[in-house]
Amino acid sequence: MLLRKSARVLDSPHGSSSSLVQPQGMWTSSSPSVAQGVAEMGSLPASGAPDVPDLSSSEDGGGSDSGSDFEDTVWKSGKRDARTPLSRTLAAKRPRKDASRDGESLAERNPEPSNLFEVVRLAKSAMESVVDDWLERYKENKEAGFLELINFFIRSCGCKGVVTPEMFRKQQNSEIIQQLTEQFDEDSAEYPLVLTTQPWRKFQAGFCELVTVLVRRCQYSIIYDEYLMDTLISLLTGLSDSQVRAFRHTSTLAAMKLMTALVRVALSVSLHKDNNQRQYEAERSKGPSRRATDKLEALLEKRRELQEQQEEIENMMNAIFKGVFVHRYRDLVPEIRAICIEEMGNWMQTYSASFLTDSYLKYIGWTLHDKQGEVRLKCLKALQGLYRSRELAARMELFTSRFKGRMVSMVLDKEPNVGVEAIKLLTLILQNMEEMLTDEDCEAVYPVVYASNRALAAAAGEFLYKKQFDQDWEAGKEKGRRAGSRDFFRRLLAFFIESELHEHAAYLVDSLWDCAAPLLKDWDGLTHLLLEESPEEGWGDQQENALIEILVSSMRQATEGKPPVGRGPGKKVLSARERKAQEDDREKLTQYLIPLLPQLLAKFSADAEKVALLLAAPRYYNLSLYSSGRLEKYLEQLLAQLREVVEKHTGQEVLEAAAQALYVLCNPEFTFYSRVDLARSRLVDTLADKFQQEVSELLQASYLDEDEVYSMAATLKRISILHNAHDLTPWQLSEPCRLLLQRAVDTGEVPKQVVIPTMTCLHFGILWELARVSGTVPARKELLALKHKVASFCSLCQSCLTDVDSSVQEQAFVLLSDLLLVFSPQLAKGEGEALELLVYRPEVDLQSQLAGFLMDHVFNHTDLGGSDDEDSEGKIERLHKRRNLLAGFCKLIIYNVLELSAASDVFKHYAKFYKDYGDIIKETLSRARQIDREEWARTLLLSLQQLLTELLLQQGLDAVYGKAFREIRDLARRFSLFFGLHQLPNRQALVALHKAGIKFAFQEPAPSGSELGPLNLPFLEVLSEFSPRLLRPDKKLLLSYLEQTCQARLSPPQRGKLWNSLLMYRRSLRSLDDVGSDASRIAAPRPHKRPGSAAKRRRLDDSSERGDSSLQLSSRLETPMLTSTVLKRGRQPGSPAQLQEEEGSESDFMQSQPWFSSQRSRESPGRRQQLLAPRSTSRLGLGSRMDRLSLMEEEEEEIVIQEDSSDEEGAQGLDMPLSHSHSSPGEQLRDLFDSTILGIEVSAGKCESWGGGHLPCCTRGAKSHWESVPHRIPDVAGACWRPPLSGTEPSLGVAFLRELHTSLVFCCTFTASGSRTEFPVWVSTLGPLGRRVWAGLLLHTLRGWFYP
C-alpha cells in the first residue's frame, strides 16, 4: 500500500489546477504500465494529460505558492483547500502495492529509526557502501526499508517523531505530517541543516550525497519499481508544503537533489536511446541478405524499453517540478529559494536539451529581482554556468535581451559579492555574445574599477581588460614587444585621462593587476617610454605624469601586494609562493631601475610633481644590489640628484619625498651606509650654515626685505622637513630656533613663513631628545633639562595662539596638542616609569586657551562655509583641517591630559555640527563615558547648562519659546541615548545628573516682579529628557527631592504657581501606575469580574514597568524561526484573504518579511495613529504581538526619539496577551476594551456605535466633529496638541482613553491659569458611557489640581 499525501499536497491551495504547470511537449506519458503505476501512486499525472498548459504561458501558474512560513503568517486553517491533482483526484485508501509484510514484525518490534541518520551525521563511512547496505535491506523488505528511509528524512528535519508501520499503513500523508508536526521539538529554532557546530558541519553535504548516490545506485531497476520513487516523491512534496520551516527546508533540499540526480539519469537514458536509434538505423540500412532480424527486434525492444524509462523519469521530474519547485522558488525563506534556483541552474547545464528553454529561464530572470542577496547570487552563478559555454549562450538570445538591463544594473548591487558576480557574468557575455553588450552597457561597468571594494574593482578591471586591451595587446605582439607595450600603455592612458573618473592611477593599476600584471610589470618598457627624447607620437605633460604614477604603482603592487589606501580588504597572509614571487619582482625591478632612476630624475628635475613620484622608487628596491652588484656609481648619481632636488625645490611634497628616500638609503645595515651618511651630513651642513648666518642677521636687523625672508623661510622649511625623518640634534639648531621664536612672540615682526617652520623644528628637536633618553637610563639632570625645554616651548606656543595670523595659531595648536599628548601621564606607564619626571600637565589658562581656539576656529559656521565662489575642493580641504584640530583636542581629553569638564565645550556642539564633526564627538562621548560615568554625566549637564545660560543672556526670558531652546532639548535627547539600555551601571550617574540639574534650575531667583519663576526654571524641561532612563524608585526619590527643593527655594506665594517647566518635569517623574491608581479611586465597582483579568493586569503592570524604566526598552516578542508546530485552523472558503491571495501574479514572486526594526522618532499625530492601528484580523496571532518600539543599540542610534509619557500610556493598550491570539473576534474585542486594562473601573454599559461592546470611546459623530473643528490645546512645551481620534478601528479606543486623561490634565492646567479651552464642545459628542468616564476623570483631575 503506497504512502500517499492527501489531495492538498500537490494541488493548488485554492483549487486551481493551473498552478502546476508543465512545458508544452514534455513529460507526457504514453506507457500503459507507467500510467498504471502513476495512477496507483495517486499523486502523479496520468498518461497523456491533454489539458496541461504550456509553462511559458502560465504567468500566474504558481497560484498562491508564495510559501507558507509559520513565523510570518499564521493561517487560520489547519490545512489549505484541496488542490486539484495533477492527473486525477486521489482514490480511496487501499493496501499499498508490493508492500511485503515479511518485515512487519521486525518493524513493530523496533519502531525507532535505523542508524542511517547517525551514519550520515558522523560522516565516517563511504556513502556508496551505506546506500548498498540499505538497498539490501530494501530488497528483503520494501516496507521496512522504506520506513527506514522515511525516518531518516524526518530525523534530518530535526523532528523526534517516528513513522511507525501502523501509521504508514492506515494514515494519509497529510495525517502523518500533522502528527509529526505535533511531536516536533520546539526547544530550539535550529535543525540539522542550519547547525554549524562541529558534529553538523558536514551533515548537509552527506545528506545531499546520500540522495544522489541513492538514485545513481537505483537508476537501472529500482527507480522503476513504481513504489520507491513514487512514494518518496509524494512524501517530500507533502513535507515541502508544511508550515514548519525545518520540514519545508529539508524536504525541498532533498527534492531538488533528487531532481538533479533524476536529470542525470534522464540524460543517460536519452544518450542510450540515441545510440540505440543509430544502431537500429545502421542495421536497418543493410541489405536484406546482411540484415539480422533478431538483432533488429532486440534493438526495437530495447528502444521501447528506453522510451518507457524516459517517460517514467520525466513523469517523476514533472511531479517534483510542479509539486515542489513551482511553489518553493517563491518561499519566504531565502535559503529555500536559493536551493531551488541553484539546482535549476544545474538542470540546465546538465540536460540543456530539455531545460534550457524560456519556460524555465524565466524563473531565474524573475528571481534576479529577489530582495535577498543570497538568492540573487545563486541566480548569477547559475547564469554564469550557462554563458560560459558559447553553444549554450547562443540559445539564450531572447533571455539576454529581456533581462540584460537587470544584469547590468546589478553591477551596483548593495551587496558587493553580488556586484562581483554580476560583472563576471557580463564578462562571460562579452566573451561569448559580444554583440549583445552596447557601449552604454560597458560604460556602466567602467567606473567600478575605482570602487573601494577590492574584489568588485578587480572584476571590473578584468571586464575592462577584455573589452579594451586584450585584443590590442595580442595584435601588438606581432609588431614586436616594444610596439605592443606602447599600444597597451597608450590605450591605458587614454582610458585613465579621457574618462576623467579618477585622478589616482594606483586604483586603476590595482584593479587591472589580476588580469594584466605581466603588462604592468614591463618596467623596462615603461622607463624607455619616459626617457625617449623624440618619440614617434609625443607624450604630453599629463601623459608623463600618468605614466610615472603607473610605474610607481606597479612597483608598489609587485613588491608589497597591498591595495591602495581606502580600498580593502586586501590579502592578509601571503603564501610562500607569493612571497617568493614578490622577491623575484623586487629583484627584477631593482636591476631595471637602478641605472635609469638618476636619468629620470635628471630629465624631470624641474617638475616637482614628477620628481616626488620618482623619489618613491627606492622604497621598493632591493638595496643590497648596490653593493653586491657593484652599482655604487649609480648610488652616487642618485645621491647627487637628491641633493639637487632638496636645493632646488621648496614644495612640501617633494621635500618630504626626498627626506623619505634619504632615510631609506641611510640604513646602517648596508655596506654603503657611510657614503649615504656622508652625503646627508654635507647636505645638512650646508643648510645649517646658511640658517645660522640668516638667523643672526634677522635677530640683529630691524627690517628684512622679501628676498631675505624668502631665503630664510625656504632654508627653515628644508631643515624642518629633514628634521622629521633625521636626527639633526648634533647640529644644535634648537637654541637659534628658540631665540627666533621668542623674537616673534615679543615683537611680532617675524613673518609667518619663518615662524611656522621654526616651531616645527623646535617640536621635532624635543621629540628626538625624548627618543634618545627613552632608549637609555637617563640622568635626572637630562630629564630636568628636557622638561624645561618642553615647558618653554609650550609657553611660546601658547603665546602664538593669540597671534594675528590664523595659520600660525593653527600650527601652534597642532604642535601643542601633539606634544601634550606625548608628555601625558601615559608616558610613565609600563616600562617608562623612569620618565615620570617628564610628564607635563597643562595649566588652567592653557586649557582655556585651547578651548577658546577650538570655539573660534572649529565651531564656526561662517568660517567653515567660505564664499560661494570657492570650489568644493577648498571647502573640503578646510573642513579636513578643522576635523584634525578637533581630533587633536579630543585626544587630550580621552588620554586624561585635560580635565573631563573641558569636553563640555565640544559636547554642546554635538547636534549643531553633527554633519561635520558628529563621528568625532560621538566617539569622544563614548570614550569619555568609559573613563568616569559620573563625571561624564556632569560634563553633559554642564554642556546643557552653558547653552541655556548663553541663550538667556543673549535673547532674554522669551527665548524659551523659540527654536534655540528646542535645539537644546533635542541635544539633551541625543545625550540621553548614550546612557543605553543598561540602567544599573548608569543609575548613580543619572541620579546625580538630575539632582545637579534641579539645583541649577532653582539656583537663580526670579527677577523682581516677574511671574515666570526662577530664572533657570526652563532647564527642568531639558532635564525631563533624561527621566525615561531612570528606574522607578529613583523617579520617586527625585520627585521627593524636587518637592523639598521647591519648599526650600521658593517663597510661599510662589509654591502654588503652576509653571509649565515644573509641571512637565513632575509628569516625567511620575510612573504610569500613578495615573492608573488615581483613576481607579474615582470609578464605580464593576458588577462582575472577567476571568483572568488579574493576570491581565499583572501582565500590563509588568509591561508598564518595562516601558517606564527606559526610553527605548521594548519587550519585542522573539518569534521562533523554524520549529513552531501550532496547527493552522480552518479558513472559510471564499474569504477575503483567500480571494486576495488568488489575485497574485507570478511577477510578485516573493513576499516581504513582516519583522522589522523601527525607530520611534518624532511623528505627527496622524502618523502616530497610523502606527497604533491594529493589524488585519487575518494576521492575528504571533504577528499581533509585535511591540511598538524596537530595541535600539546602546548609544549607537542617532534617531531623535520623541519621548512623551502620554505617548507611552497610549501605546500600552495595544499589547495583547499571546493566549488570546486564537480567540474569536468578539472575545478579542472584549479583552481589548476591558476597563481593567485601563486601570479604572466603569459601570456596565453598552456603546451603541460598537454593537453592544464595552467600548469607552467616541462615536463617529465625534470623529467628524474633531476633524472639522480646529481644537488647539496648548501643551507644556508651547506647541499644539490635538486629541487623538478613535476612528473606526476598535483597538484605538484604549489609546484614545489614555490620551484623553492626558488632555484633561492639559485642560485643567490651562483653565487654572486663565487660558481658554474648548473641551466641553467636543466632550458633548461622546457616547453615554464615554461621557460618564470622562466626567469621572475630570472630577478626579480637578480635585488633584485645586485641592492637593
Side-chain angles (χ1 to χ4, degrees):
M1 180 171 58
L2 295 177
L3 178 63
R4 299 196 304 272
K5 187 180 182 295
S6 63
R8 60 178 287 271
V9 172
L10 280 177
D11 306 335
S12 170
H14 307 299
S16 175
S17 62
S18 64
S19 63
L20 302 180
V21 290
Q22 175 184 11
Q24 189 173 7
M26 287 188 60
W27 302 349
T28 55
S29 175
S30 60
S31 172
S33 60
V34 174
Q36 181 181 359
V38 171
E40 289 173 351
M41 184 177 65
S43 60
L44 296 177
S47 62
D51 55 346
V52 177
D54 187 1
L55 183 62
S56 61
S57 63
S58 57
E59 293 295 333
D60 296 328
S64 182
D65 53 356
S66 57
S68 52
D69 190 355
F70 180 80
E71 294 79 32
D72 179 75
T73 304
V74 179
W75 297 88
K76 292 183 178 180
S77 59
K79 58 184 179 180
R80 302 178 184 175
D81 298 338
R83 300 178 186 147
T84 304
L86 291 179
S87 57
R88 58 180 178 81
T89 307
L90 288 173
K93 289 292 292 182
R94 61 174 179 268
R96 302 175 187 267
K97 182 179 178 181
D98 294 337
S100 174
R101 303 186 60 85
D102 295 339
E104 178 182 348
S105 59
L106 175 63
E108 290 177 350
R109 288 196 307 269
N110 185 19
E112 295 295 328
S114 66
N115 61 352
L116 190 60
F117 175 79
E118 293 298 327
V119 170
V120 175
R121 183 179 69 87
L122 296 176
K124 294 182 178 180
S125 303
M127 199 57 64
E128 287 78 4
S129 61
V130 173
V131 173
D132 290 341
D133 293 342
W134 177 83
L135 285 175
E136 292 297 328
R137 296 192 293 273
Y138 176 79
K139 292 176 181 178
E140 293 176 2
N141 188 327
K142 287 188 176 181
E143 182 177 302
F146 189 72
L147 270 178
E148 181 181 354
L149 187 62
I150 289 177
N151 286 312
F152 163 73
F153 286 114
I154 299 302
R155 284 287 304 277
S156 299
C157 297
C159 179
K160 296 182 179 179
V162 178
V163 179
T164 62
E166 183 179 1
M167 295 169 57
F168 186 64
R169 299 190 195 100
K170 297 182 179 180
Q171 295 182 3
Q172 294 280 351
N173 277 4
S174 58
E175 298 171 347
I176 293 176
I177 295 173
Q178 178 176 342
Q179 186 170 342
L180 292 173
T181 301
E182 294 171 350
Q183 298 173 1
F184 206 98
D185 179 22
E186 276 189 295
D187 294 340
S188 173
E190 297 179 336
Y191 51 95
L193 287 186
V194 299
L195 291 173
T196 57
T197 53
Q198 183 61 37
W200 301 100
R201 289 179 181 175
K202 299 180 180 180
F203 178 79
Q204 181 170 347
F207 178 86
C208 299
E209 185 182 3
L210 175 68
V211 177
T212 304
V213 174
L214 176 64
V215 175
R216 188 169 68 243
R217 291 292 189 181
C218 302
Q219 63 178 321
Y220 298 111
S221 60
I222 296 182
I223 63 172
Y224 307 110
D225 66 354
E226 301 180 1
Y227 179 78
L228 174 64
M229 299 305 297
D230 298 349
T231 316
L232 180 59
I233 292 172
S234 178
L235 171 69
L236 293 178
T237 306
L239 288 173
S240 70
D241 197 46
S242 172
Q243 290 185 351
V244 180
R245 182 177 297 189
F247 280 156
R248 207 166 64 254
H249 187 184
T250 308
S251 59
T252 301
L253 176 62
M256 293 297 100
K257 291 296 180 181
L258 183 65
M259 177 78 165
T260 302
L262 288 175
V263 167
R264 295 192 181 99
V265 175
L267 177 63
S268 176
V269 172
S270 177
L271 294 177
H272 282 88
K273 184 180 175 183
D274 293 340
N275 291 335
N276 177 271
Q277 183 66 25
R278 285 194 298 270
Q279 293 176 5
Y280 177 79
E281 295 294 339
E283 188 67 27
R284 188 178 178 184
S285 62
K286 295 179 180 179
S289 59
R290 299 177 56 191
R291 185 182 303 167
T293 307
D294 296 340
K295 187 176 181 179
L296 283 175
E297 293 179 356
L299 289 174
L300 190 59
E301 181 64 27
K302 182 64 174 178
R303 186 174 66 175
R304 285 195 295 267
E305 180 183 352
L306 291 173
Q307 179 67 25
E308 291 179 0
Q309 291 179 358
Q310 185 179 24
E311 291 173 354
E312 191 163 352
I313 292 175
E314 287 177 351
N315 285 330
M316 296 176 191
M317 294 190 297
N318 195 24
I320 296 176
F321 181 80
K322 296 190 290 186
V324 180
F325 178 87
V326 171
H327 302 281
R328 299 281 70 80
Y329 92 99
R330 296 172 53 176
D331 198 280
L332 287 173
V333 182
E335 291 84 356
I336 297 178
R337 302 198 300 272
I339 289 171
C340 294
I341 296 301
E342 181 181 14
E343 295 305 316
M344 172 167 275
N346 293 333
W347 308 339
M348 292 178 178
Q349 295 180 51
T350 304
Y351 198 3
S352 59
S354 294
F355 288 95
L356 192 58
T357 63
D358 296 331
S359 300
Y360 294 100
L361 283 169
K362 66 180 182 182
Y363 291 103
I364 297 182
W366 290 339
T367 318
L368 286 172
H369 298 268
D370 197 283
K371 295 182 179 179
Q372 293 295 326
E374 176 188 0
V375 184
R376 299 195 300 272
L377 193 66
K378 294 296 182 183
C379 291
L380 293 172
K381 289 186 175 181
L383 290 175
Q384 287 175 15
L386 301 176
Y387 283 105
R388 193 169 285 114
S389 170
R390 186 177 293 271
E391 179 183 356
L392 297 181
R395 300 164 55 185
M396 300 174 62
E397 291 186 2
L398 180 61
F399 174 84
T400 307
S401 61
R402 169 64 179 82
F403 293 100
K404 182 186 66 174
R406 173 56 183 165
M407 289 186 283
V408 172
S409 67
M410 292 178 74
V411 169
L412 301 179
D413 195 276
K414 64 179 181 180
E415 300 288 343
N417 55 344
V418 177
V420 170
E421 299 303 327
I423 296 176
K424 290 180 179 179
L425 176 61
L426 293 177
T427 305
L428 292 173
I429 296 176
L430 180 67
Q431 290 177 333
N432 297 320
M433 302 178 67
E434 185 176 1
E435 66 282 355
M436 294 299 297
L437 292 180
T438 63
D439 292 341
E440 184 180 356
D441 298 331
C442 297
E443 290 172 358
V445 183
Y446 293 159
V448 187
V449 296
Y450 299 107
S452 59
N453 185 276
R454 173 77 173 52
L456 192 62
E462 182 179 2
F463 180 89
L464 173 65
Y465 177 76
K466 297 289 185 184
K467 178 65 177 177
Q468 296 286 350
F469 309 129
D470 196 10
Q471 298 176 355
D472 297 322
W473 170 247
E474 295 296 334
K477 287 182 179 179
E478 301 176 358
K479 305 176 185 178
R481 177 174 171 273
R482 191 64 54 82
S485 177
R486 175 184 294 277
D487 291 340
F488 170 75
F489 286 113
R490 187 170 296 279
R491 294 298 298 271
L492 183 62
L493 289 176
F495 172 79
F496 175 66
I497 296 173
E498 295 175 6
S499 63
E500 298 181 352
L501 297 173
H502 208 277
E503 59 182 14
H504 296 293
Y507 296 90
L508 179 60
V509 171
D510 182 57
S511 301
L512 292 171
W513 192 257
D514 294 342
C515 55
L519 297 174
L520 293 170
K521 289 192 292 186
D522 185 15
W523 298 298
D524 187 25
L526 267 172
T527 51
H528 279 87
L529 287 175
L530 290 170
L531 289 173
E532 286 181 355
E533 294 295 335
S534 56
E536 299 175 4
E537 300 178 14
W539 302 104
D541 183 70
Q542 195 175 11
Q543 284 84 357
E544 287 178 344
N545 282 335
L547 269 179
I548 294 175
E549 189 173 358
I550 290 173
L551 170 65
V552 177
S553 300
S554 63
M555 293 168 60
R556 178 179 181 273
Q557 193 72 29
T559 56
E560 296 182 356
K562 297 179 180 178
V565 177
R567 173 174 287 180
K571 194 169 184 179
K572 296 181 180 179
V573 181
L574 299 177
S575 63
R577 183 177 181 179
E578 291 172 333
R579 289 195 298 270
K580 179 65 168 58
Q582 286 185 0
E583 292 302 322
D584 294 342
D585 289 337
R586 187 186 298 272
E587 195 91 6
K588 181 181 176 182
L589 73 89
T590 305
Q591 292 175 353
Y592 280 142
L593 289 175
I594 278 182
L596 299 177
L597 182 59
Q599 301 178 34
L600 291 171
L601 289 173
K603 180 178 180 179
F604 301 109
S605 60
D607 194 322
E609 185 178 358
K610 295 184 179 69
V611 170
L613 289 171
L614 289 171
L615 287 177
R619 305 179 200 172
Y620 314 114
Y621 281 2
N622 181 5
L623 295 175
S624 60
L625 284 180
Y626 274 116
S627 55
S628 63
R630 298 182 179 181
L631 302 174
E632 287 86 352
K633 64 176 182 179
Y634 298 113
L635 178 62
E636 295 292 344
Q637 295 176 9
L638 178 60
L639 293 174
Q641 290 296 330
L642 276 174
R643 176 166 183 162
E644 182 180 351
V645 167
V646 173
E647 292 176 348
K648 182 181 295 187
H649 295 280
T650 58
Q652 182 84 11
E653 293 183 2
V654 65
L655 289 177
E656 287 178 353
Q660 183 67 23
L662 195 59
Y663 174 79
V664 171
L665 295 172
C666 289
N667 191 338
E669 297 179 358
F670 298 127
T671 57
F672 55 81
Y673 169 71
S674 58
R675 296 188 179 188
V676 181
D677 184 51
L678 179 60
R680 179 181 60 179
S681 300
R682 289 176 178 174
L683 175 62
V684 178
D685 285 341
T686 304
L687 295 175
D689 292 343
K690 187 176 182 180
F691 170 67
Q692 294 284 2
Q693 180 182 357
E694 292 174 342
V695 74
S696 60
E697 294 178 357
L698 187 145
L699 293 176
Q700 295 175 4
S702 59
Y703 173 77
L704 291 176
D705 57 16
E706 293 183 1
D707 294 338
E708 293 175 342
V709 171
Y710 176 81
S711 176
M712 187 170 189
T715 303
L716 271 172
K717 189 173 185 180
R718 295 185 181 104
I719 292 175
S720 63
I721 292 176
L722 284 174
H723 210 351
N724 187 9
H726 304 271
D727 185 7
L728 306 184
T729 306
W731 282 267
Q732 298 179 356
L733 301 174
S734 298
E735 184 61 22
C737 288
R738 188 191 65 80
L739 294 175
L740 186 59
L741 186 59
Q742 186 68 50
R743 171 73 177 272
V745 171
D746 294 341
T747 64
E749 297 176 354
V750 182
K752 66 175 183 180
Q753 298 93 329
V754 177
V755 173
I756 293 176
T758 302
M759 288 191 296
T760 307
C761 286
L762 280 173
H763 174 73
F764 287 130
I766 292 173
L767 294 183
W768 279 110
E769 288 193 35
L770 176 62
R772 181 176 55 83
V773 299
S774 300
T776 59
V777 180
R780 179 180 178 85
K781 184 178 180 181
E782 293 179 343
L783 296 179
L784 290 175
L786 180 57
K787 187 171 185 180
H788 175 72
K789 289 184 179 180
V790 173
S792 175
F793 178 72
C794 290
S795 176
L796 291 172
C797 287
Q798 182 179 354
S799 301
C800 290
L801 287 175
T802 58
D803 194 273
V804 294
D805 190 84
S806 61
S807 60
V808 175
Q809 296 178 17
E810 291 178 1
Q811 183 69 7
F813 182 87
V814 171
L815 296 179
L816 265 176
S817 58
D818 289 346
L819 202 64
L820 291 175
L821 188 63
V822 172
F823 289 91
S824 67
Q826 307 289 333
L827 181 66
K829 291 185 178 180
E831 299 179 357
E833 295 180 358
L835 304 177
E836 186 174 1
L837 190 61
L838 294 177
V839 174
Y840 182 80
R841 297 184 180 276
E843 298 179 355
V844 178
D845 57 343
L846 177 57
Q847 297 185 32
S848 301
Q849 278 192 268
L850 291 173
F853 172 85
L854 212 64
M855 299 305 104
D856 297 336
H857 292 78
V858 176
F859 299 111
N860 189 336
H861 265 312
T862 305
D863 192 19
L864 186 63
S867 61
D868 296 335
D869 299 335
E870 186 179 2
D871 59 346
S872 59
E873 292 185 3
K875 295 180 180 179
I876 294 174
E877 181 65 26
R878 193 166 60 256
L879 174 61
H880 180 67
K881 184 183 296 184
R882 278 151 178 72
R883 285 174 59 86
N884 286 337
L885 296 175
L886 177 61
F889 184 83
C890 292
K891 284 189 289 185
L892 297 179
I893 297 171
I894 294 173
Y895 287 98
N896 202 22
V897 178
L898 303 180
E899 296 179 359
L900 195 56
S901 59
S904 62
D905 295 319
V906 176
F907 294 165
K908 66 184 180 182
H909 297 96
Y910 178 52
K912 188 175 182 180
F913 288 85
Y914 183 80
K915 180 180 178 181
D916 298 328
Y917 316 119
D919 54 339
I920 300 176
I921 303 178
K922 182 177 180 180
E923 183 66 20
T924 307
L925 280 163
S926 301
R927 296 289 188 91
R929 181 184 56 189
Q930 299 172 10
I931 298 174
D932 187 342
R933 286 183 182 268
E934 294 189 18
E935 183 65 24
W936 169 73
R938 284 192 289 269
T939 304
L940 297 182
L941 187 68
L942 178 60
S943 303
L944 299 171
Q945 291 172 353
Q946 290 175 355
L947 288 175
L948 181 64
T949 303
E950 294 173 2
L951 180 64
L952 294 177
L953 289 176
Q954 294 174 2
Q955 303 182 20
L957 298 178
D958 294 336
V960 297
Y961 302 108
K963 178 182 177 182
F965 183 73
R966 291 195 296 271
E967 290 178 352
I968 298 176
R969 289 192 58 183
D970 175 72
L971 178 62
R973 189 176 298 111
R974 288 173 181 258
F975 283 163
S976 69
L977 297 178
F978 283 90
F979 286 94
L981 300 175
H982 306 287
Q983 296 173 294
L984 290 179
N986 301 314
R987 184 176 184 179
Q988 294 182 356
L990 275 170
V991 172
L993 181 145
H994 277 270
K995 287 186 175 180
I998 293 173
K999 289 181 180 179
F1000 175 77
F1002 291 95
Q1003 184 175 3
E1004 296 291 337
S1008 59
S1010 175
E1011 297 292 332
L1012 298 178
L1015 185 64
N1016 296 332
L1017 191 64
F1019 189 75
L1020 291 179
E1021 297 185 33
V1022 178
L1023 200 61
S1024 65
E1025 302 293 343
F1026 297 92
S1027 298
R1029 299 292 179 179
L1030 292 166
L1031 294 174
R1032 182 175 297 178
D1034 295 338
K1035 288 185 177 182
K1036 296 180 179 179
L1037 175 65
L1038 289 172
L1039 192 59
S1040 174
Y1041 181 79
L1042 176 65
E1043 300 301 332
Q1044 294 176 6
T1045 306
C1046 291
Q1047 294 290 333
R1049 297 296 181 94
L1050 298 179
S1051 60
Q1054 291 178 327
R1055 294 172 190 169
K1057 295 184 179 293
L1058 301 174
W1059 293 298
N1060 297 349
S1061 303
L1062 184 59
L1063 292 175
M1064 172 174 281
Y1065 186 60
R1066 279 175 176 166
R1067 184 165 59 87
S1068 70
L1069 295 178
R1070 289 176 180 171
S1071 61
L1072 297 181
D1073 285 351
D1074 296 338
V1075 178
S1077 60
D1078 293 342
S1080 63
R1081 288 195 295 267
I1082 66 168
R1086 295 187 63 189
H1088 61 86
K1089 184 176 182 180
R1090 288 178 50 83
S1093 60
K1096 185 184 304 180
R1097 280 196 299 272
R1098 284 195 299 271
R1099 284 193 295 269
L1100 290 172
D1101 290 343
D1102 294 340
S1103 63
S1104 174
E1105 181 177 355
R1106 291 192 299 269
D1108 256 350
S1109 61
S1110 174
L1111 173 66
Q1112 303 168 21
L1113 286 181
S1114 169
S1115 58
R1116 175 177 174 180
L1117 181 64
E1118 286 259 352
T1119 306
M1121 292 295 293
L1122 308 166
T1123 62
S1124 182
T1125 58
V1126 180
L1127 298 179
K1128 294 183 291 186
R1129 298 170 54 183
R1131 177 187 297 177
Q1132 297 297 329
S1135 62
Q1138 176 179 346
L1139 294 177
Q1140 184 178 2
E1141 288 185 6
E1142 290 179 353
E1143 293 174 358
S1145 65
E1146 192 81 12
S1147 59
D1148 278 329
F1149 57 89
M1150 192 190 72
Q1151 298 177 359
S1152 60
Q1153 296 287 354
W1155 308 112
F1156 57 94
S1157 298
S1158 59
Q1159 308 297 341
R1160 189 182 179 194
S1161 59
R1162 289 180 293 182
E1163 298 160 345
S1164 62
R1167 174 61 179 162
R1168 187 179 301 125
Q1169 290 184 20
Q1170 183 179 357
L1171 290 176
L1172 292 175
R1175 298 178 180 271
S1176 172
T1177 55
S1178 63
R1179 299 295 297 272
L1180 291 176
L1182 296 182
S1184 63
R1185 286 285 295 167
M1186 188 174 63
D1187 288 343
R1188 287 80 55 205
L1189 303 178
S1190 63
L1191 292 177
M1192 283 191 267
E1193 295 292 336
E1194 180 178 354
E1195 90 268 356
E1196 292 297 327
E1197 299 299 329
E1198 291 305 326
I1199 303 298
V1200 182
I1201 296 191
Q1202 175 80 17
E1203 187 59 28
D1204 194 312
S1205 298
S1206 62
D1207 291 347
E1208 291 181 358
E1209 295 170 5
Q1212 288 292 335
L1214 289 177
D1215 204 1
M1216 294 173 54
L1218 181 61
S1219 59
H1220 293 280
S1221 60
H1222 293 285
S1223 59
S1224 64
E1227 189 176 356
Q1228 289 170 353
L1229 290 179
R1230 288 195 299 272
D1231 291 340
L1232 184 61
F1233 297 107
D1234 191 348
S1235 57
T1236 57
I1237 297 178
L1238 308 176
I1240 62 174
E1241 295 290 336
V1242 296
S1243 58
K1246 303 293 183 180
C1247 182
E1248 296 79 9
S1249 63
W1250 289 99
H1254 295 272
L1255 309 178
C1257 59
C1258 68
T1259 62
R1260 296 186 182 180
K1263 174 186 176 183
S1264 60
H1265 179 76
W1266 280 342
E1267 291 176 343
S1268 59
V1269 180
H1271 297 286
R1272 300 291 180 178
I1273 303 179
D1275 62 8
V1276 292
C1280 293
W1281 184 89
R1282 178 183 293 277
L1285 306 180
S1286 65
T1288 58
E1289 299 291 348
S1291 63
L1292 285 182
V1294 179
F1296 158 70
L1297 192 56
R1298 290 187 178 276
E1299 297 203 16
L1300 179 60
H1301 178 268
T1302 306
S1303 70
L1304 295 175
V1305 176
F1306 293 153
C1307 293
C1308 295
T1309 302
F1310 286 90
T1311 302
S1313 62
S1315 301
R1316 180 177 179 271
T1317 58
E1318 298 178 296
F1319 65 85
V1321 178
W1322 52 265
V1323 168
S1324 63
T1325 62
L1326 294 173
L1329 179 59
R1331 287 199 297 272
R1332 286 197 295 272
V1333 174
W1334 187 88
L1337 291 174
L1338 175 61
L1339 178 60
H1340 171 70
T1341 307
L1342 293 175
R1343 286 175 178 172
W1345 285 109
F1346 296 104
Y1347 306 100

